[in-house]
């Protein structure tokens, strides 16, 4: 095992098309890092640079104490698991897992020991004589992971390994990956566009957007304190409500300084909808985007409301219900208890704790500490 360092890592194509903009990150020995972002954001390109499958245009990649920029993939002491399994169809499960060790000239007894050990971890022992065509998608992915495990690398690299599985298998494989990392404690870099995978697997996560880092932190840090509107809307399902507001006035009360905010309409002009009184202090900007996660929109008595939602659609999902509606002409969603009696066409009074309110700059999208 080894630590992994990314120092101002860049990737430029055709001399002027930059896919990755100067990424820095220190990954501790044994840490599981997830790189998450939409398609085309540069996450797989970054992973492939670490693997040696893409040349590095600038910066350095360190694995352990070595700068590996000029090393071939086989010399970097990494093992990679791909999205498409990449198994040899004519070989048995055993031979697929053993092949990389055989071509390295490892002794037969050592190969046997490593393959049997990995098969036991992944519950593949009864399937070692089968061919890939005789396996399910989840079993094939476990074979691909087994092929990586037997190499006992310093770093595991995962390139969207669960993308080809159905929803139920993805949940199962996420649990297996989590358990696998708990057992092996090998430094791991995992790429996905699925924010659920990122939240459930990561020790820390890197959110990428357009080849740039939006935020690095634990899943709870990223979810609870998003650094930008991009992170706020990408992490979380449904995404955070983002409501354009302007400060109407500031008043004092027994609870301290309070702000009243007026919701802005599609034309950028203040509407009749107000949010008040919010105990956010005197540093609240004149205009901003107010962020509020759906689960933090709380139904309340009319006299306690800071706002009202004109409900248009209610999705009943069992334990939870989602109420979609308009707040001053702005689309919002509230996550409610599944037994809440809310219907389309109603006006829903809501409140929210000051601890759950977020403010972002309307121009840059960056977080404002109010």
């Amino acid at each position: 095992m080894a630590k992994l360092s990314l120092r101002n890592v860049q990737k430029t194509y055709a001399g002027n098309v930059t896919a990755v903009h100067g990424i820095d990150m220190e990954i501790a020995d044994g840490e599981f890092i997830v790189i998450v972002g939409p398609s085309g954001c540069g996450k797989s390109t970054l992973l492939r640079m670490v693997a040696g499958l893409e040349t590095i245009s600038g910066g350095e990649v360190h694995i352990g104490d070595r700068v590996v920029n000029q090393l071939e993939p086989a010399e970097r002491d990494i093992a990679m698991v791909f999205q498409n399994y990449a198994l040899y169809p004519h070989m048995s499960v055993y031979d697929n897992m053993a092949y990389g060790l055989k071509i390295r000239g490892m002794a037969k007894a050592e190969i046997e020991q490593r393959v049997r050990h990995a098969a036991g971890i992944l519950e593949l022992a009864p399937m070692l004589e089968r061919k890939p065509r005789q396996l399910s998608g989840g079993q094939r992915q476990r074979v691909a992971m087994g092929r990586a495990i037997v190499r006992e690398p310093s770093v595991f690299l995962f390139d969207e390994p669960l993308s080809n599985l159905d929803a139920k298998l993805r949940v199962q494989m996420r649990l297996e990956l989590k358990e696998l990392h708990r057992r092996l404690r090998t430094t791991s870099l995992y790429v996905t566009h699925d924010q659920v995978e990122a939240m459930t697997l990561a020790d820390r996560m890197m959110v990428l957007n357009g080849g740039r880092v939006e935020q690095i932190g634990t899943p709870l840090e990223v979810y609870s304190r998003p650094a930008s509107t991009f992170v706020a809307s990408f992490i979380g399902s449904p995404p955070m409500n983002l409501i354009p507001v302007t400060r109407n006035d500031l008043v004092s009360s027994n609870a301290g300084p309070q702000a009243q905010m007026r919701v802005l309409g599609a034309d950028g002009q203040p509407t009749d909808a107000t949010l008040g009184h919010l105990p956010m202090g005197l540093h609240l900007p004149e205009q901003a985007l107010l962020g509020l996660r759906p689960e933090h929109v709380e139904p309340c008595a009319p006299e306690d409301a800071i706002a009202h939602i004109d409900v248009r659609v209610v999705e009943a999902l069992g334990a939870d219900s989602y109420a979609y509606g308009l707040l001053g002409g702005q689309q919002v969603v509230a996550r409610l208890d599944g037994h809440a009696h809310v219907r389309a066409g109603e006006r829903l009074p809501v409140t929210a704790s000051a601890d759950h309110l977020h403010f972002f700059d309307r121009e840059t999208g960056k977080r404002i500490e109010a």
Side-chain angles (χ1 to χ4, degrees):
M1 295 187 291
K3 64 180 181 179
L4 173 63
S5 299
L6 308 177
R7 301 180 184 176
N8 195 30
V9 174
Q10 304 166 40
K11 180 62 181 181
T12 303
Y13 293 101
N16 59 359
V17 179
T18 303
V20 175
H21 300 260
I23 289 179
D24 293 285
M25 189 174 190
E26 296 293 323
I27 300 167
D29 186 2
E31 196 172 16
F32 198 115
I33 299 296
V34 177
I35 306 172
V36 64
S39 297
C41 71
K43 56 189 184 295
S44 289
T45 299
L46 179 59
L47 191 79
R48 290 171 64 84
M49 285 194 286
V50 174
L53 302 176
E54 291 272 3
T55 58
I56 300 169
S57 303
E60 293 180 341
V61 173
H62 294 241
I63 297 178
D65 297 324
R66 300 187 301 165
V67 178
V68 300
N69 290 38
Q70 304 303 322
L71 298 182
E72 295 296 321
E75 301 173 306
R76 298 191 180 200
D77 196 18
I78 55 96
M80 194 163 183
V81 180
F82 296 93
Q83 178 179 344
N84 62 358
Y85 319 139
L87 302 179
Y88 297 108
H90 62 288
M91 291 185 182
S92 67
V93 168
Y94 182 97
D95 289 335
N96 265 284
M97 293 172 65
Y99 183 72
L101 304 181
K102 289 179 180 177
I103 63 175
R104 291 166 62 185
M106 188 172 289
K108 187 175 180 179
E110 177 70 8
I111 293 174
E112 175 85 9
Q113 187 272 330
R114 289 196 186 191
V115 172
R116 297 287 176 186
H117 177 67
I121 290 174
L122 296 167
E123 300 182 0
L124 291 171
M127 307 168 195
L128 288 176
E129 301 309 315
R130 296 185 190 178
K131 300 289 177 62
R133 66 177 178 273
Q134 297 172 299
L135 305 176
S136 69
Q139 290 166 343
R140 292 179 193 179
Q141 192 57 277
R142 287 209 298 267
V143 175
M145 292 177 189
R147 186 174 53 191
I149 290 170
V150 297
R151 295 189 58 187
E152 299 181 1
S154 295
V155 177
F156 282 133
L157 304 176
F158 297 93
D159 190 7
E160 304 207 43
L162 309 185
S163 295
N164 290 338
L165 305 180
D166 62 43
K168 185 176 180 181
L169 263 179
R170 288 178 77 137
V171 173
Q172 178 185 336
M173 289 301 297
R174 282 204 305 269
L175 296 175
E176 292 184 9
L177 268 171
K178 194 77 171 176
E179 174 64 13
L180 181 65
H181 183 253
R182 188 189 67 80
R183 292 187 189 183
L184 301 179
R185 299 305 303 174
T186 303
T187 307
S188 300
L189 200 58
Y190 185 105
V191 158
T192 182
H193 64 272
D194 186 328
Q195 52 104 5
V196 175
E197 283 182 23
M199 293 290 293
T200 54
L201 289 173
D203 292 329
R204 286 189 297 152
M205 57 200 293
M206 174 195 293
V207 185
L208 280 188
N209 178 26
R212 291 184 168 86
V213 175
E214 290 278 340
Q215 189 170 359
I216 296 174
T218 67
L220 186 58
E221 287 170 349
V222 172
Y223 186 83
S224 300
R225 297 184 64 80
S228 66
T229 53
F230 176 83
V231 177
S233 58
F234 191 80
I235 301 296
S237 181
M240 180 180 285
N241 297 302
L242 295 171
I243 306 165
V245 293
T246 184
R247 192 175 71 202
N248 194 36
D249 56 25
L250 288 167
V251 298
S252 296
S253 72
N254 293 334
Q258 293 185 325
Q260 186 180 71
M261 307 296 290
R262 192 172 295 279
V263 177
L264 299 179
D267 58 0
Q269 298 303 310
T271 68
D272 292 334
T274 58
L275 299 167
H277 292 90
L278 309 178
M280 293 300 296
L282 296 174
H283 299 295
L284 206 60
E286 290 289 342
Q287 291 197 1
L289 286 171
L290 168 65
L292 182 61
R293 292 213 177 271
E295 64 268 29
H296 296 146
V297 181
E298 304 170 20
C300 64
E303 61 271 19
D304 298 324
I306 63 168
H308 293 79
I309 297 174
D310 295 313
V311 180
R312 303 177 71 183
V313 177
V314 177
E315 285 185 340
L317 303 178
D320 297 315
S321 292
Y322 291 104
Y324 297 85
L326 297 175
L327 195 162
Q330 299 293 334
Q331 296 276 356
V332 294
V333 57
R335 191 178 81 182
L336 312 175
D337 183 275
H339 300 291
H341 298 291
V342 178
R343 295 178 175 82
E346 292 184 358
R347 199 153 197 257
L348 180 67
V350 295
T351 188
S353 166
D355 294 339
H356 294 146
L357 301 179
H358 310 263
F359 287 91
F360 303 93
D361 187 284
R362 291 185 63 193
E363 297 297 324
T364 66
K366 299 301 183 183
R367 183 182 186 86
I368 297 170
E369 298 297 343

